[in-house]
Amino acid sequence: MTQSDDVEYLHTWIGSSDRDHITVAGRDLPSEVMGKLTLTELAYVLITRREPTPGQRRMLDAVLVSLADHGLTPSALAARFTHTGAPESIQGAVAAGLLGAGSVFLGPAGDTADFLAAALHEHGDTDLRRTAERAVDARRAAGLRVPGLGHPVHRDEDPRTPRIYELAAEEDVLGPHLRLLEVVAAVHEEISGKHLPINGAGAAGAALADVGIPTGSVRGFVLIGRTAGLVAHLAEEAAEPVGMPLWLEVEHRASGHTDLD
Amino acid sequence: MTQSDDVEYLHTWIGSSDRDHITVAGRDLPSEVMGKLTLTELAYVLITRREPTPGQRRMLDAVLVSLADHGLTPSALAARFTHTGAPESIQGAVAAGLLGAGSVFLGPAGDTADFLAAALHEHGDTDLRRTAERAVDARRAAGLRVPGLGHPVHRDEDPRTPRIYELAAEEDVLGPHLRLLEVVAAVHEEISGKHLPINGAGAAGAALADVGIPTGSVRGFVLIGRTAGLVAHLAEEAAEPVGMPLWLEVEHRASGHTDLD
Amino acid sequence: MTQSDDVEYLHTWIGSSDRDHITVAGRDLPSEVMGKLTLTELAYVLITRREPTPGQRRMLDAVLVSLADHGLTPSALAARFTHTGAPESIQGAVAAGLLGAGSVFLGPAGDTADFLAAALHEHGDTDLRRTAERAVDARRAAGLRVPGLGHPVHRDEDPRTPRIYELAAEEDVLGPHLRLLEVVAAVHEEISGKHLPINGAGAAGAALADVGIPTGSVRGFVLIGRTAGLVAHLAEEAAEPVGMPLWLEVEHRASGHTDLD
Amino acid sequence: MTQSDDVEYLHTWIGSSDRDHITVAGRDLPSEVMGKLTLTELAYVLITRREPTPGQRRMLDAVLVSLADHGLTPSALAARFTHTGAPESIQGAVAAGLLGAGSVFLGPAGDTADFLAAALHEHGDTDLRRTAERAVDARRAAGLRVPGLGHPVHRDEDPRTPRIYELAAEEDVLGPHLRLLEVVAAVHEEISGKHLPINGAGAAGAALADVGIPTGSVRGFVLIGRTAGLVAHLAEEAAEPVGMPLWLEVEHRASGHTDLD
């Protein structure tokens, strides 16, 4: 189990460094990456091992900005509360915020990508109507919800969804996942009688799949945008705290005090 | 302490949403951000409340890609080991990787930015030689190291540093922090007799300060790049695991077995 | 949605405090808990709202000590690597170690408790043979493994399992979950022809269910023991580091160097 | 750097396992630890390498229960919010809660232990009045607060403090750290004219030092109690959610709505 007798299993394609060089994704970091690739492009290269086309890059950024925290979400609040107790550790506060990016709010991006990819694999993309019907029926038969549909706030339409489809058409990256998702939403409405719009995370997952992100990496990819949002929340928290006053209010109310106390 | 009598303290500039709209940084997300700003640009806007110039944007991306994990670092290994025990939770593995981005490896970016900004504030930028001498003397008198200098591997020169200065000159963002850092390195070498090159994290911190990132947000900002690197490590780990075999080897060796067992 | 019109939803039974008092689990902390309840007893009270009997308490501690990290596990290594990068944040290193306590290593405790509880609920406890057969058949039919059986290292018997059953008998807490688990193991061996011993996490989960821990809290309960182990690993790491030398060895081998370099 | 030529650096005293045995702290886990040591006792053994006396054990438990989360603290809220977004990952929610156990709320336990130990080391324990004066003067001269004093809620007396001293006297573990802390509080009040009571975290830190916990491990040790409290909060959250309704209220108020909307 040492390197003398066995094949070395310790290696990574991601990068390496020695005294005078640093390589990332097979490229010399200073001369071929710094000033040449944006962070979004590097993230794509590291995951897919090829550079995105301009159209793919535009879609990648659109997806990432669409899923950065835009309000006082549970994960932004968790990050802010962590800052309240440990202001010296920004990596702790960011980590705490990311830990809430699970099945409820960010999971749907990856779940939708997986669902669409599986349906396409199983039923093909020549008759999307049929593929959608079979995929939706299978979910309903198993008592499961269809990923990518519905939103607790945006009940008529998620404002991000039409923009994702518009950009995808503009950049010629409107592929089988996005097209199937539209049909899935229509089929679901016909079958259930309920209007559940395509949500932003679902459209994002389909869009990422259509630009070549493996579906197993979709959920991780969107975390990059989430980190940016959390860093911004923490910058604001340091200047205009919400965590401390909210905690004091919660504590006050939880111990039974009314306004008059 | 309720909203009836007091000013509402719950608010954020970062964004908000209602049934039909989502705003981020004061902009309509679908029409003014998606397809218009890259993730790096949005991160800058959220922290500084203004859009970066093209030159600033190029430097921001250069810094972020320079600090993404390029090898099997302790934080990449922590993320991979977390995946070994909890492959179902990618946000857990990414969070675990970020938690190692503390004082030893990523802290220097923010520490250097703070150090340079404090020196400029206290001693001005008209005579950088004098400012550098005073700042270095103060650190040495307090028995502290000078942030931004030295690297355990890149003992002659950190390959990222000349590239950061080159890009900064090209894009006209070579400001007082970067210029002071050069003088600090020279002064330190004269005083100590030891050659400690400007390290990549230090140059990154100075560069971010020169493009307008508040020094208190430098450390958080570089975490965005770190997240991208960790997501890539986890994508590779899922396909070519390092965590499980490394753990088995560690366990084997820790229980006293030799090659012949 | 404010306290003036609606029922206050902000409350917790766990505890509260005001200027002169602190209550925990409905008890005055200084006079009724400190010096009266051990941590294990308090944890049980907080989850079940009653105090454990002496026999239940002995089993709770036995389970917790049995699942504290006893070697350089992936989660201990993740904690140590986090300490390498962020020695200033012990809560970060402990958190990183806990994040690996997921489906692979610690999940089986809760999964087994859930599995046994569901089987007892569905098929009763009067004929454990029949209950076990139906539960095992259902898992196999769904292509799923039976929780609580098998261990990659302890292939004949997990040394913790007979001790859990011995203590349970001594303390008269050998209940339906533990008894069903034995029958499940026997049935599984007959059906599959393979000997998969009851593993320590599975026995622990069954034992916790038999002393009254709701199965949904089993997985969280065992984290308390895991935290103690991680704190101990980090105390040792501060004095005898493993993270830094292991990282340097990994980096050395990953860049293709052999012993002779 | 391989085991053939160099001393093996991979080892841990914490424990090990092979096919038929598991050892923890040099003891056989099933026969010498399970049913023999409580979790609190094992934690002490792992950190100090000796078993606690009954009096020490009673104090250890008293400290741990005194610092478990007793209300809706920022870290309990962070854990609950993480559960809101990722209910499938209890280890993520517990980790998020622990990440807030930093310098503000839990740090004082370790800071106080370090402060007292340093003062005793530097000025001795034969004249505690003098030692206290010198230690307090040094902090004030450096513009620093004295650790262990003051509490935002318990302004007259922290209810936990007299109980810790009472138990310490009962169990004959009232040692130099606790005694020095009393004198420090008195000296500080004389010098500053302000009454700052000894807070619970400070008394806990002094008590842990007096029972033999190395001051560098105090902060980690109290995390064990914090984990128990967080697990309890999450059990309650699953049944009576606070995270979701609080988030909805926060979002409602942050977008400028009043009661009448």
Side-chain angles (χ1 to χ4, degrees):
Chain A
M1 209 174 279
T2 67
Q3 59 193 31
S4 47
D5 296 336
D6 307 277
V7 174
E8 178 59 83
Y9 64 86
L10 282 173
H11 55 78
T12 177
W13 176 82
I14 308 281
S16 64
S17 70
D18 64 26
R19 193 175 177 114
D20 303 307
H21 305 94
I22 300 176
T23 67
V24 179
R27 297 155 171 74
D28 180 69
L29 173 62
S31 64
E32 298 184 285
V33 184
M34 292 172 66
K36 296 276 163 77
L37 295 181
T38 66
L39 179 69
T40 303
E41 289 172 317
L42 178 64
Y44 186 86
V45 172
L46 287 173
I47 292 171
T48 66
R49 306 201 180 186
R50 59 182 184 275
E51 288 183 31
T53 63
Q56 290 173 332
R57 181 185 62 220
R58 191 166 180 227
M59 178 58 74
L60 292 166
D61 277 307
V63 162
L64 287 173
V65 300
S66 76
L67 295 176
D69 263 334
H70 44 263
L72 289 171
T73 58
S75 78
L77 289 166
R80 289 174 179 251
F81 277 131
T82 301
H83 176 273
T84 300
E88 73 284 359
S89 172
I90 180 151
Q91 71 274 15
V94 173
L98 283 181
L99 288 169
S103 64
V104 178
F105 295 110
L106 262 204
D111 295 342
T112 304
D114 286 335
F115 166 73
L116 297 169
L120 289 168
H121 184 255
E122 207 177 325
H123 307 292
D125 67 345
T126 44
D127 185 339
L128 291 183
R129 171 86 202 186
R130 180 166 153 277
T131 296
E133 285 171 346
R134 294 191 176 195
V136 172
D137 285 344
R139 296 292 291 194
R140 291 172 63 86
L144 298 169
R145 293 174 45 177
V146 176
L149 303 184
H151 194 283
V153 176
H154 310 299
R155 296 174 171 281
D156 301 315
E157 183 173 70
D158 186 315
R160 295 164 291 193
T161 301
R163 180 59 172 160
I164 283 189
Y165 279 87
E166 177 182 53
L167 283 169
E170 267 183 47
E171 298 299 339
D172 199 31
V173 293
L174 211 167
H177 300 84
L178 280 169
R179 287 185 285 114
L180 176 60
L181 182 56
E182 281 187 298
V183 185
V184 160
V187 163
H188 180 271
E189 184 158 353
E190 289 166 29
I191 291 181
S192 69
K194 288 191 298 186
H195 172 68
L196 290 186
I198 293 171
N199 56 52
L208 288 178
D210 277 340
V211 295
I213 297 285
T215 60
S217 294
V218 164
R219 195 155 156 178
F221 195 82
V222 302
L223 287 178
I224 302 169
R226 182 53 66 92
T227 299
L230 290 170
V231 172
H233 270 283
L234 291 165
E236 190 185 45
E237 178 71 14
E240 301 167 52
V242 156
M244 184 66 87
L246 180 58
W247 166 51
L248 293 174
E249 178 180 338
V250 165
E251 185 146 284
H252 186 82
R253 287 166 53 183
S255 40
H257 294 106
T258 66
D259 284 8
L260 301 175
D261 297 343
Chain B
M1 210 173 281
T2 67
Q3 58 192 29
S4 49
D5 296 335
D6 309 276
V7 174
E8 178 60 83
Y9 64 87
L10 283 173
H11 55 78
T12 176
W13 177 83
I14 309 280
S16 64
S17 70
D18 63 26
R19 193 174 177 112
D20 303 307
H21 305 94
I22 300 176
T23 66
V24 178
R27 297 155 171 75
D28 181 69
L29 173 63
S31 64
E32 299 185 285
V33 184
M34 292 172 66
K36 295 277 164 75
L37 295 181
T38 66
L39 179 69
T40 302
E41 289 172 318
L42 178 63
Y44 185 87
V45 172
L46 287 172
I47 292 171
T48 67
R49 305 200 180 187
R50 60 183 184 275
E51 289 184 29
T53 64
Q56 290 173 331
R57 182 185 62 219
R58 191 166 179 227
M59 178 57 74
L60 292 166
D61 277 308
V63 162
L64 287 173
V65 300
S66 76
L67 294 176
D69 262 334
H70 44 261
L72 289 171
T73 58
S75 78
L77 289 167
R80 288 174 179 252
F81 277 130
T82 302
H83 176 271
T84 300
E88 72 286 359
S89 172
I90 179 149
Q91 71 273 17
V94 174
L98 283 181
L99 288 169
S103 63
V104 177
F105 295 109
L106 262 204
D111 295 342
T112 304
D114 286 335
F115 166 73
L116 297 169
L120 288 168
H121 184 256
E122 207 177 324
H123 307 291
D125 68 344
T126 45
D127 184 340
L128 291 183
R129 171 85 202 188
R130 180 166 152 276
T131 296
E133 285 171 346
R134 295 191 176 195
V136 172
D137 284 344
R139 294 294 291 195
R140 292 171 63 85
L144 299 170
R145 292 173 46 176
V146 176
L149 304 183
H151 194 283
V153 177
H154 310 301
R155 294 172 173 282
D156 300 316
E157 183 173 71
D158 186 315
R160 294 164 290 192
T161 301
R163 181 58 173 160
I164 283 188
Y165 278 87
E166 177 183 53
L167 283 168
E170 268 183 47
E171 297 300 338
D172 198 31
V173 292
L174 211 167
H177 299 83
L178 281 169
R179 289 186 283 115
L180 175 60
L181 183 56
E182 282 187 300
V183 185
V184 161
V187 163
H188 180 272
E189 185 159 352
E190 290 167 29
I191 291 181
S192 69
K194 287 191 299 187
H195 171 68
L196 290 186
I198 294 171
N199 56 52
L208 288 179
D210 276 340
V211 296
I213 297 285
T215 59
S217 294
V218 164
R219 195 155 156 178
F221 194 82
V222 302
L223 288 177
I224 303 169
R226 181 52 64 92
T227 298
L230 290 171
V231 171
H233 271 283
L234 291 164
E236 189 184 46
E237 178 71 15
E240 301 168 52
V242 156
M244 184 65 87
L246 180 57
W247 166 51
L248 293 175
E249 178 181 337
V250 165
E251 186 147 283
H252 186 82
R253 288 165 53 182
S255 42
H257 294 105
T258 67
D259 285 6
L260 301 176
D261 294 343
Chain C
M1 207 173 280
T2 65
Q3 60 193 31
S4 48
D5 296 335
D6 308 278
V7 174
E8 179 59 82
Y9 64 86
L10 284 173
H11 55 77
T12 175
W13 176 82
I14 309 280
S16 64
S17 71
D18 62 26
R19 194 174 175 112
D20 302 308
H21 304 94
I22 299 176
T23 66
V24 179
R27 298 155 171 75
D28 180 68
L29 174 62
S31 64
E32 299 185 285
V33 184
M34 293 172 65
K36 296 278 164 76
L37 295 181
T38 66
L39 179 70
T40 302
E41 289 172 318
L42 179 63
Y44 185 86
V45 173
L46 287 173
I47 292 171
T48 66
R49 304 200 182 188
R50 59 184 184 275
E51 288 184 31
T53 64
Q56 290 173 331
R57 181 185 63 219
R58 190 166 179 226
M59 178 58 75
L60 291 166
D61 276 308
V63 162
L64 287 173
V65 300
S66 76
L67 295 176
D69 262 334
H70 46 262
L72 289 172
T73 58
S75 78
L77 289 166
R80 289 175 180 250
F81 276 131
T82 301
H83 176 272
T84 301
E88 73 285 358
S89 172
I90 180 150
Q91 72 274 16
V94 173
L98 285 180
L99 287 169
S103 62
V104 178
F105 296 110
L106 263 203
D111 295 342
T112 303
D114 287 334
F115 167 72
L116 297 169
L120 289 167
H121 184 254
E122 207 176 326
H123 306 292
D125 67 345
T126 46
D127 185 340
L128 290 183
R129 171 86 203 187
R130 181 166 151 277
T131 296
E133 285 171 346
R134 293 190 177 197
V136 171
D137 284 344
R139 294 292 292 195
R140 292 171 63 85
L144 298 170
R145 291 174 46 175
V146 176
L149 302 183
H151 194 284
V153 176
H154 311 299
R155 294 174 172 280
D156 300 316
E157 184 174 69
D158 186 316
R160 294 165 290 193
T161 300
R163 180 59 172 161
I164 282 189
Y165 278 87
E166 177 182 54
L167 283 169
E170 268 183 48
E171 299 298 341
D172 198 31
V173 293
L174 210 166
H177 300 84
L178 280 169
R179 288 185 285 115
L180 175 60
L181 182 56
E182 281 187 297
V183 185
V184 161
V187 164
H188 179 271
E189 184 157 352
E190 291 166 28
I191 291 181
S192 70
K194 287 191 298 186
H195 172 68
L196 291 187
I198 295 170
N199 57 52
L208 288 179
D210 277 340
V211 297
I213 297 284
T215 59
S217 294
V218 163
R219 195 155 156 177
F221 195 81
V222 302
L223 287 178
I224 302 169
R226 182 51 67 92
T227 298
L230 289 170
V231 171
H233 270 283
L234 290 164
E236 189 185 45
E237 178 71 14
E240 302 169 51
V242 157
M244 184 65 87
L246 180 57
W247 166 51
L248 293 175
E249 178 180 338
V250 165
E251 186 147 283
H252 187 81
R253 287 165 54 182
S255 40
H257 294 105
T258 67
D259 285 6
L260 302 176
D261 294 347
Chain D
M1 208 173 282
T2 66
Q3 59 193 30
S4 49
D5 295 336
D6 308 278
V7 174
E8 178 59 83
Y9 64 87
L10 283 174
H11 56 77
T12 176
W13 176 83
I14 309 280
S16 64
S17 71
D18 63 25
R19 194 174 176 112
D20 303 309
H21 305 95
I22 300 176
T23 67
V24 180
R27 297 155 171 75
D28 180 69
L29 174 62
S31 64
E32 300 184 286
V33 184
M34 293 172 65
K36 296 278 165 75
L37 295 181
T38 66
L39 179 69
T40 302
E41 289 172 317
L42 178 63
Y44 186 86
V45 172
L46 287 173
I47 291 172
T48 66
R49 305 200 180 187
R50 60 183 183 275
E51 288 184 32
T53 64
Q56 290 174 330
R57 183 185 62 219
R58 190 166 179 227
M59 179 57 74
L60 292 166
D61 276 308
V63 163
L64 288 173
V65 300
S66 76
L67 294 176
D69 261 334
H70 45 261
L72 289 172
T73 59
S75 77
L77 289 166
R80 289 175 179 251
F81 276 131
T82 302
H83 176 272
T84 300
E88 73 285 358
S89 173
I90 180 150
Q91 73 273 17
V94 174
L98 285 181
L99 288 169
S103 63
V104 178
F105 296 110
L106 263 204
D111 295 343
T112 303
D114 287 334
F115 166 73
L116 297 169
L120 289 167
H121 184 256
E122 206 176 324
H123 306 291
D125 66 346
T126 44
D127 185 340
L128 290 183
R129 172 85 202 188
R130 180 166 152 276
T131 296
E133 285 172 345
R134 292 191 177 196
V136 172
D137 284 344
R139 294 293 291 195
R140 292 171 64 85
L144 297 171
R145 291 172 47 175
V146 175
L149 304 183
H151 194 284
V153 176
H154 311 299
R155 294 173 172 282
D156 300 316
E157 184 173 69
D158 186 314
R160 294 165 291 193
T161 301
R163 181 59 172 159
I164 283 189
Y165 278 86
E166 177 181 54
L167 283 169
E170 267 183 48
E171 298 299 338
D172 198 31
V173 293
L174 210 166
H177 299 84
L178 280 169
R179 287 186 285 116
L180 175 60
L181 182 56
E182 281 186 300
V183 185
V184 161
V187 163
H188 180 272
E189 185 157 354
E190 290 167 28
I191 291 182
S192 69
K194 287 191 298 186
H195 171 69
L196 290 187
I198 294 170
N199 56 52
L208 289 179
D210 277 340
V211 297
I213 296 285
T215 59
S217 295
V218 163
R219 196 156 156 179
F221 194 81
V222 302
L223 287 178
I224 302 169
R226 181 52 66 91
T227 298
L230 289 170
V231 172
H233 270 282
L234 290 164
E236 190 185 45
E237 178 72 14
E240 301 167 54
V242 157
M244 184 65 88
L246 179 58
W247 166 51
L248 293 175
E249 178 180 338
V250 165
E251 185 146 284
H252 187 80
R253 287 165 55 181
S255 42
H257 295 105
T258 66
D259 285 6
L260 301 176
D261 293 343

